Amino acid sequence: MSMIEMHNINKGYMLGEEKLPILKNINFKVEKGEYVAILGPSGSGKTTFMNIVGCMDVMDSGEYFLDGVAIHSTKEENLTEIRNSKIGFIFQNYQLIPTYNVMQNIIMPLLMRGIKHQQAEAMCYTTIKLLGLDKRMDHRPSELSGGQKQRVSIARALVGKPAILLADEPTGALDQSSGKDVLKLFRELNEMGNTIVMITHDLNVAQSAKRIVRIVDGQLQE
């Protein structure tokens, strides 16, 4: 079983009386350990696609298996648990809690799973060191550069050992040099065995992945 397997995924939104199709018969597969970029301009359906991959939205029809779990037949109230255990999210705007320090931000997903604070901190330490954040653990987001904030966001995504890392425009808010650092880090994480799906509108960013899939007008093209 692949890490992600999608068959004939369709999704549309009601616009007045009419249904506007956004995703049309999408078939998509990602094997364990792959690093795939989904490349598309705004309005191409890539945000809707990312929301379905990330179990943040449900499809109208089709089948979606994530790490062996049949998402299409999972009740909506159970999707939160699947999201929290199977997917590590990395966002363009980091989505860090401003009043929390680096450590508190990173251990959030573990605490949400009911892991005790002390154990959660111990589990985070390796990831924090790996990402070079060990000297910044007591800092708040406002005391960090953009590149450091994105590293915190990546650490938070990694700590729960998710099946996939899902990155939405991960270099979008960064200067060129920090952006390059983040993409280098993604390649290193992929070499360590992490499965990465990255959504981007930028061909230069997409080219750092090992495989590029284009999304055009709601359809995927390899």
Side-chain angles (χ1 to χ4, degrees), residues 105-131:
N105 266 289
I106 292 172
I107 66 172
M108 277 299 289
L110 298 178
L111 299 179
M112 282 165 72
R113 282 193 207 174
I115 294 168
K116 296 273 187 289
H117 208 283
Q118 212 171 352
Q119 189 192 349
E121 284 201 0
M123 284 167 75
C124 289
Y125 201 70
T126 323
T127 309
I128 285 170
K129 255 184 122 56
L130 173 75
L131 291 174

PDB file of all heavy atoms in Angstrom, residues 105-131:
ATOM      1  N   ASN A 105       5.849  25.510  21.585  1.00  0.00           N
ATOM      2  CA  ASN A 105       5.239  25.403  20.260  1.00  0.00           C
ATOM      3  C   ASN A 105       5.463  24.020  19.661  1.00  0.00           C
ATOM      4  O   ASN A 105       4.561  23.437  19.076  1.00  0.00           O
ATOM      5  CB  ASN A 105       5.807  26.481  19.314  1.00  0.00           C
ATOM      6  CG  ASN A 105       4.952  27.729  19.285  1.00  0.00           C
ATOM      7  OD1 ASN A 105       3.853  27.740  18.742  1.00  0.00           O
ATOM      8  ND2 ASN A 105       5.448  28.786  19.903  1.00  0.00           N
ATOM      9  N   ILE A 106       6.679  23.499  19.836  1.00  0.00           N
ATOM     10  CA  ILE A 106       7.026  22.225  19.200  1.00  0.00           C
ATOM     11  C   ILE A 106       6.307  21.036  19.843  1.00  0.00           C
ATOM     12  O   ILE A 106       5.908  20.100  19.155  1.00  0.00           O
ATOM     13  CB  ILE A 106       8.567  22.027  19.198  1.00  0.00           C
ATOM     14  CG1 ILE A 106       9.211  23.057  18.255  1.00  0.00           C
ATOM     15  CG2 ILE A 106       8.950  20.612  18.767  1.00  0.00           C
ATOM     16  CD1 ILE A 106      10.726  23.106  18.315  1.00  0.00           C
ATOM     17  N   ILE A 107       6.101  21.085  21.165  1.00  0.00           N
ATOM     18  CA  ILE A 107       5.501  19.897  21.810  1.00  0.00           C
ATOM     19  C   ILE A 107       3.971  19.845  21.712  1.00  0.00           C
ATOM     20  O   ILE A 107       3.361  18.849  22.085  1.00  0.00           O
ATOM     21  CB  ILE A 107       5.917  19.716  23.304  1.00  0.00           C
ATOM     22  CG1 ILE A 107       5.383  20.842  24.177  1.00  0.00           C
ATOM     23  CG2 ILE A 107       7.401  19.568  23.450  1.00  0.00           C
ATOM     24  CD1 ILE A 107       5.614  20.575  25.660  1.00  0.00           C
ATOM     25  N   MET A 108       3.365  20.900  21.157  1.00  0.00           N
ATOM     26  CA  MET A 108       1.899  20.945  21.046  1.00  0.00           C
ATOM     27  C   MET A 108       1.251  19.665  20.497  1.00  0.00           C
ATOM     28  O   MET A 108       0.338  19.116  21.113  1.00  0.00           O
ATOM     29  CB  MET A 108       1.471  22.145  20.186  1.00  0.00           C
ATOM     30  CG  MET A 108       1.402  23.462  20.916  1.00  0.00           C
ATOM     31  SD  MET A 108       0.213  23.451  22.265  1.00  0.00           S
ATOM     32  CE  MET A 108      -1.315  23.418  21.339  1.00  0.00           C
ATOM     33  N   PRO A 109       1.713  19.145  19.321  1.00  0.00           N
ATOM     34  CA  PRO A 109       1.039  17.955  18.771  1.00  0.00           C
ATOM     35  C   PRO A 109       1.109  16.744  19.705  1.00  0.00           C
ATOM     36  O   PRO A 109       0.188  15.931  19.743  1.00  0.00           O
ATOM     37  CB  PRO A 109       1.799  17.672  17.465  1.00  0.00           C
ATOM     38  CG  PRO A 109       2.572  18.893  17.163  1.00  0.00           C
ATOM     39  CD  PRO A 109       2.802  19.602  18.454  1.00  0.00           C
ATOM     40  N   LEU A 110       2.210  16.646  20.465  1.00  0.00           N
ATOM     41  CA  LEU A 110       2.365  15.500  21.375  1.00  0.00           C
ATOM     42  C   LEU A 110       1.409  15.624  22.561  1.00  0.00           C
ATOM     43  O   LEU A 110       0.778  14.652  22.974  1.00  0.00           O
ATOM     44  CB  LEU A 110       3.818  15.392  21.867  1.00  0.00           C
ATOM     45  CG  LEU A 110       4.871  15.152  20.777  1.00  0.00           C
ATOM     46  CD1 LEU A 110       6.266  15.106  21.386  1.00  0.00           C
ATOM     47  CD2 LEU A 110       4.600  13.874  19.997  1.00  0.00           C
ATOM     48  N   LEU A 111       1.277  16.846  23.089  1.00  0.00           N
ATOM     49  CA  LEU A 111       0.362  17.065  24.218  1.00  0.00           C
ATOM     50  C   LEU A 111      -1.081  16.803  23.774  1.00  0.00           C
ATOM     51  O   LEU A 111      -1.884  16.254  24.521  1.00  0.00           O
ATOM     52  CB  LEU A 111       0.497  18.495  24.765  1.00  0.00           C
ATOM     53  CG  LEU A 111       1.884  18.886  25.304  1.00  0.00           C
ATOM     54  CD1 LEU A 111       1.878  20.324  25.798  1.00  0.00           C
ATOM     55  CD2 LEU A 111       2.338  17.957  26.430  1.00  0.00           C
ATOM     56  N   MET A 112      -1.387  17.173  22.519  1.00  0.00           N
ATOM     57  CA  MET A 112      -2.736  16.944  22.000  1.00  0.00           C
ATOM     58  C   MET A 112      -3.051  15.457  21.886  1.00  0.00           C
ATOM     59  O   MET A 112      -4.198  15.053  21.879  1.00  0.00           O
ATOM     60  CB  MET A 112      -2.897  17.617  20.623  1.00  0.00           C
ATOM     61  CG  MET A 112      -3.120  19.127  20.725  1.00  0.00           C
ATOM     62  SD  MET A 112      -2.860  19.951  19.143  1.00  0.00           S
ATOM     63  CE  MET A 112      -4.307  19.401  18.248  1.00  0.00           C
ATOM     64  N   ARG A 113      -1.996  14.653  21.800  1.00  0.00           N
ATOM     65  CA  ARG A 113      -2.202  13.196  21.752  1.00  0.00           C
ATOM     66  C   ARG A 113      -2.296  12.587  23.139  1.00  0.00           C
ATOM     67  O   ARG A 113      -2.399  11.377  23.283  1.00  0.00           O
ATOM     68  CB  ARG A 113      -1.018  12.526  21.043  1.00  0.00           C
ATOM     69  CG  ARG A 113      -1.076  12.643  19.557  1.00  0.00           C
ATOM     70  CD  ARG A 113      -0.062  11.685  18.979  1.00  0.00           C
ATOM     71  NE  ARG A 113       0.391  12.178  17.692  1.00  0.00           N
ATOM     72  CZ  ARG A 113       1.364  11.623  16.999  1.00  0.00           C
ATOM     73  NH1 ARG A 113       2.003  10.581  17.483  1.00  0.00           N
ATOM     74  NH2 ARG A 113       1.714  12.112  15.830  1.00  0.00           N
ATOM     75  N   GLY A 114      -2.154  13.454  24.174  1.00  0.00           N
ATOM     76  CA  GLY A 114      -2.293  12.956  25.537  1.00  0.00           C
ATOM     77  C   GLY A 114      -0.979  12.489  26.146  1.00  0.00           C
ATOM     78  O   GLY A 114      -0.958  11.852  27.204  1.00  0.00           O
ATOM     79  N   ILE A 115       0.154  12.826  25.501  1.00  0.00           N
ATOM     80  CA  ILE A 115       1.457  12.443  26.067  1.00  0.00           C
ATOM     81  C   ILE A 115       1.808  13.422  27.186  1.00  0.00           C
ATOM     82  O   ILE A 115       1.583  14.627  27.066  1.00  0.00           O
ATOM     83  CB  ILE A 115       2.542  12.443  24.954  1.00  0.00           C
ATOM     84  CG1 ILE A 115       2.224  11.339  23.935  1.00  0.00           C
ATOM     85  CG2 ILE A 115       3.946  12.242  25.518  1.00  0.00           C
ATOM     86  CD1 ILE A 115       3.025  11.387  22.659  1.00  0.00           C
ATOM     87  N   LYS A 116       2.330  12.896  28.289  1.00  0.00           N
ATOM     88  CA  LYS A 116       2.675  13.738  29.442  1.00  0.00           C
ATOM     89  C   LYS A 116       3.803  14.726  29.077  1.00  0.00           C
ATOM     90  O   LYS A 116       4.684  14.407  28.289  1.00  0.00           O
ATOM     91  CB  LYS A 116       3.154  12.858  30.605  1.00  0.00           C
ATOM     92  CG  LYS A 116       2.077  11.922  31.145  1.00  0.00           C
ATOM     93  CD  LYS A 116       1.228  12.620  32.207  1.00  0.00           C
ATOM     94  CE  LYS A 116       0.251  11.713  32.889  1.00  0.00           C
ATOM     95  NZ  LYS A 116      -0.883  11.287  32.048  1.00  0.00           N
ATOM     96  N   HIS A 117       3.747  15.896  29.716  1.00  0.00           N
ATOM     97  CA  HIS A 117       4.643  17.006  29.389  1.00  0.00           C
ATOM     98  C   HIS A 117       6.125  16.610  29.388  1.00  0.00           C
ATOM     99  O   HIS A 117       6.852  16.891  28.433  1.00  0.00           O
ATOM    100  CB  HIS A 117       4.403  18.151  30.378  1.00  0.00           C
ATOM    101  CG  HIS A 117       4.726  19.490  29.794  1.00  0.00           C
ATOM    102  ND1 HIS A 117       6.007  19.935  29.642  1.00  0.00           N
ATOM    103  CD2 HIS A 117       3.923  20.463  29.283  1.00  0.00           C
ATOM    104  CE1 HIS A 117       5.990  21.133  29.092  1.00  0.00           C
ATOM    105  NE2 HIS A 117       4.731  21.481  28.860  1.00  0.00           N
ATOM    106  N   GLN A 118       6.554  15.947  30.461  1.00  0.00           N
ATOM    107  CA  GLN A 118       7.972  15.598  30.604  1.00  0.00           C
ATOM    108  C   GLN A 118       8.425  14.658  29.475  1.00  0.00           C
ATOM    109  O   GLN A 118       9.478  14.853  28.870  1.00  0.00           O
ATOM    110  CB  GLN A 118       8.194  14.912  31.956  1.00  0.00           C
ATOM    111  CG  GLN A 118       9.562  15.204  32.539  1.00  0.00           C
ATOM    112  CD  GLN A 118       9.658  14.691  33.980  1.00  0.00           C
ATOM    113  OE1 GLN A 118       8.677  14.263  34.575  1.00  0.00           O
ATOM    114  NE2 GLN A 118      10.850  14.713  34.535  1.00  0.00           N
ATOM    115  N   GLN A 119       7.584  13.664  29.194  1.00  0.00           N
ATOM    116  CA  GLN A 119       7.900  12.698  28.140  1.00  0.00           C
ATOM    117  C   GLN A 119       7.922  13.397  26.775  1.00  0.00           C
ATOM    118  O   GLN A 119       8.777  13.137  25.930  1.00  0.00           O
ATOM    119  CB  GLN A 119       6.868  11.571  28.151  1.00  0.00           C
ATOM    120  CG  GLN A 119       7.229  10.396  27.246  1.00  0.00           C
ATOM    121  CD  GLN A 119       6.055   9.440  27.050  1.00  0.00           C
ATOM    122  OE1 GLN A 119       5.034   9.536  27.734  1.00  0.00           O
ATOM    123  NE2 GLN A 119       6.190   8.517  26.115  1.00  0.00           N
ATOM    124  N   ALA A 120       6.957  14.312  26.572  1.00  0.00           N
ATOM    125  CA  ALA A 120       6.869  15.056  25.314  1.00  0.00           C
ATOM    126  C   ALA A 120       8.143  15.875  25.086  1.00  0.00           C
ATOM    127  O   ALA A 120       8.702  15.893  23.993  1.00  0.00           O
ATOM    128  CB  ALA A 120       5.640  15.960  25.316  1.00  0.00           C
ATOM    129  N   GLU A 121       8.625  16.547  26.144  1.00  0.00           N
ATOM    130  CA  GLU A 121       9.854  17.348  26.014  1.00  0.00           C
ATOM    131  C   GLU A 121      11.037  16.469  25.641  1.00  0.00           C
ATOM    132  O   GLU A 121      11.847  16.827  24.789  1.00  0.00           O
ATOM    133  CB  GLU A 121      10.144  18.102  27.325  1.00  0.00           C
ATOM    134  CG  GLU A 121       9.242  19.304  27.520  1.00  0.00           C
ATOM    135  CD  GLU A 121       9.807  20.329  28.501  1.00  0.00           C
ATOM    136  OE1 GLU A 121      10.914  20.103  29.043  1.00  0.00           O
ATOM    137  OE2 GLU A 121       9.130  21.349  28.713  1.00  0.00           O
ATOM    138  N   ALA A 122      11.128  15.294  26.283  1.00  0.00           N
ATOM    139  CA  ALA A 122      12.228  14.364  25.987  1.00  0.00           C
ATOM    140  C   ALA A 122      12.163  13.912  24.526  1.00  0.00           C
ATOM    141  O   ALA A 122      13.183  13.830  23.834  1.00  0.00           O
ATOM    142  CB  ALA A 122      12.158  13.159  26.915  1.00  0.00           C
ATOM    143  N   MET A 123      10.934  13.665  24.029  1.00  0.00           N
ATOM    144  CA  MET A 123      10.749  13.211  22.644  1.00  0.00           C
ATOM    145  C   MET A 123      11.139  14.303  21.638  1.00  0.00           C
ATOM    146  O   MET A 123      11.563  14.025  20.529  1.00  0.00           O
ATOM    147  CB  MET A 123       9.286  12.808  22.405  1.00  0.00           C
ATOM    148  CG  MET A 123       8.916  11.467  23.011  1.00  0.00           C
ATOM    149  SD  MET A 123       7.118  11.211  23.024  1.00  0.00           S
ATOM    150  CE  MET A 123       6.813  10.856  21.280  1.00  0.00           C
ATOM    151  N   CYS A 124      10.979  15.565  22.060  1.00  0.00           N
ATOM    152  CA  CYS A 124      11.260  16.691  21.156  1.00  0.00           C
ATOM    153  C   CYS A 124      12.737  16.998  21.032  1.00  0.00           C
ATOM    154  O   CYS A 124      13.166  17.615  20.066  1.00  0.00           O
ATOM    155  CB  CYS A 124      10.606  17.968  21.682  1.00  0.00           C
ATOM    156  SG  CYS A 124       8.849  17.932  21.517  1.00  0.00           S
ATOM    157  N   TYR A 125      13.496  16.601  22.037  1.00  0.00           N
ATOM    158  CA  TYR A 125      14.865  17.122  22.125  1.00  0.00           C
ATOM    159  C   TYR A 125      15.717  16.771  20.905  1.00  0.00           C
ATOM    160  O   TYR A 125      16.447  17.603  20.384  1.00  0.00           O
ATOM    161  CB  TYR A 125      15.546  16.677  23.432  1.00  0.00           C
ATOM    162  CG  TYR A 125      16.687  17.595  23.749  1.00  0.00           C
ATOM    163  CD1 TYR A 125      16.428  18.915  24.147  1.00  0.00           C
ATOM    164  CD2 TYR A 125      18.002  17.212  23.539  1.00  0.00           C
ATOM    165  CE1 TYR A 125      17.462  19.806  24.376  1.00  0.00           C
ATOM    166  CE2 TYR A 125      19.047  18.096  23.759  1.00  0.00           C
ATOM    167  CZ  TYR A 125      18.779  19.395  24.173  1.00  0.00           C
ATOM    168  OH  TYR A 125      19.792  20.279  24.371  1.00  0.00           O
ATOM    169  N   THR A 126      15.593  15.529  20.416  1.00  0.00           N
ATOM    170  CA  THR A 126      16.381  15.093  19.252  1.00  0.00           C
ATOM    171  C   THR A 126      16.050  15.956  18.040  1.00  0.00           C
ATOM    172  O   THR A 126      16.943  16.399  17.308  1.00  0.00           O
ATOM    173  CB  THR A 126      16.025  13.623  18.895  1.00  0.00           C
ATOM    174  OG1 THR A 126      15.803  12.924  20.114  1.00  0.00           O
ATOM    175  CG2 THR A 126      17.117  12.952  18.108  1.00  0.00           C
ATOM    176  N   THR A 127      14.747  16.208  17.837  1.00  0.00           N
ATOM    177  CA  THR A 127      14.307  17.012  16.687  1.00  0.00           C
ATOM    178  C   THR A 127      14.819  18.445  16.813  1.00  0.00           C
ATOM    179  O   THR A 127      15.268  19.044  15.841  1.00  0.00           O
ATOM    180  CB  THR A 127      12.760  17.013  16.611  1.00  0.00           C
ATOM    181  OG1 THR A 127      12.316  15.658  16.674  1.00  0.00           O
ATOM    182  CG2 THR A 127      12.265  17.634  15.333  1.00  0.00           C
ATOM    183  N   ILE A 128      14.747  18.986  18.031  1.00  0.00           N
ATOM    184  CA  ILE A 128      15.192  20.361  18.274  1.00  0.00           C
ATOM    185  C   ILE A 128      16.682  20.494  17.949  1.00  0.00           C
ATOM    186  O   ILE A 128      17.120  21.450  17.311  1.00  0.00           O
ATOM    187  CB  ILE A 128      14.876  20.762  19.736  1.00  0.00           C
ATOM    188  CG1 ILE A 128      13.375  21.034  19.857  1.00  0.00           C
ATOM    189  CG2 ILE A 128      15.689  21.974  20.177  1.00  0.00           C
ATOM    190  CD1 ILE A 128      12.867  21.211  21.277  1.00  0.00           C
ATOM    191  N   LYS A 129      17.475  19.499  18.357  1.00  0.00           N
ATOM    192  CA  LYS A 129      18.915  19.498  18.069  1.00  0.00           C
ATOM    193  C   LYS A 129      19.160  19.361  16.572  1.00  0.00           C
ATOM    194  O   LYS A 129      19.966  20.088  15.989  1.00  0.00           O
ATOM    195  CB  LYS A 129      19.595  18.337  18.814  1.00  0.00           C
ATOM    196  CG  LYS A 129      20.409  18.789  20.029  1.00  0.00           C
ATOM    197  CD  LYS A 129      21.136  17.635  20.676  1.00  0.00           C
ATOM    198  CE  LYS A 129      22.634  17.845  20.726  1.00  0.00           C
ATOM    199  NZ  LYS A 129      23.032  19.085  21.393  1.00  0.00           N
ATOM    200  N   LEU A 130      18.430  18.439  15.952  1.00  0.00           N
ATOM    201  CA  LEU A 130      18.561  18.186  14.508  1.00  0.00           C
ATOM    202  C   LEU A 130      18.353  19.476  13.714  1.00  0.00           C
ATOM    203  O   LEU A 130      19.038  19.732  12.725  1.00  0.00           O
ATOM    204  CB  LEU A 130      17.527  17.132  14.075  1.00  0.00           C
ATOM    205  CG  LEU A 130      17.386  16.857  12.578  1.00  0.00           C
ATOM    206  CD1 LEU A 130      18.558  16.021  12.069  1.00  0.00           C
ATOM    207  CD2 LEU A 130      16.093  16.142  12.265  1.00  0.00           C
ATOM    208  N   LEU A 131      17.412  20.311  14.169  1.00  0.00           N
ATOM    209  CA  LEU A 131      17.091  21.541  13.443  1.00  0.00           C
ATOM    210  C   LEU A 131      17.867  22.756  13.945  1.00  0.00           C
ATOM    211  O   LEU A 131      17.579  23.884  13.555  1.00  0.00           O
ATOM    212  CB  LEU A 131      15.586  21.794  13.504  1.00  0.00           C
ATOM    213  CG  LEU A 131      14.772  20.783  12.688  1.00  0.00           C
ATOM    214  CD1 LEU A 131      13.295  20.970  12.890  1.00  0.00           C
ATOM    215  CD2 LEU A 131      15.085  20.899  11.222  1.00  0.00           C
TER     216      LEU A 131
END
